Amino acid sequence: MSITFKVPSIACEACAKTITKAVQSEKPETAISIDVSTKIVTVETTVSEETIRKIIEGTGHTVED
Ligand SMILES: [Cu+2]
């Protein structure tokens, strides 16, 4: 399942790396790509949207509804 999130607090490549690392350390089977310019996070995963959202929020970033 492919899910996209808008994360307006992503400002640079380091933010993207932080989020990528957090998601992949908790859910290693998840493929994640982040477009820093559009602040769109795309994940390919079997876990729920809510789970991924919580991981992203756990890094201090804000996911737009
Ligand atoms: Cu940053």
Side-chain angles (χ1 to χ4, degrees):
M1 175 173 53
S2 183
I3 312 168
T4 59
F5 299 93
K6 173 97 172 173
V7 185
S9 56
I10 294 174
C12 67
E13 211 52 59
C15 300
K17 280 209 181 89
T18 300
I19 293 171
T20 300
K21 272 192 188 158
V23 170
Q24 290 191 325
S25 68
E26 289 206 46
K27 303 289 168 194
E29 74 284 8
T30 296
I32 176 166
S33 67
I34 301 179
D35 186 324
V36 173
S37 60
T38 59
K39 307 175 195 298
I40 298 288
V41 177
T42 305
V43 294
E44 186 64 46
T45 187
T46 54
V47 301
S48 72
E49 172 173 348
E50 189 58 25
T51 300
I52 301 295
R53 176 185 291 257
K54 288 220 172 84
I55 296 170
I56 296 173
E57 288 175 344
T59 66
H61 285 278
T62 308
V63 179
E64 202 171 272
D65 286 315

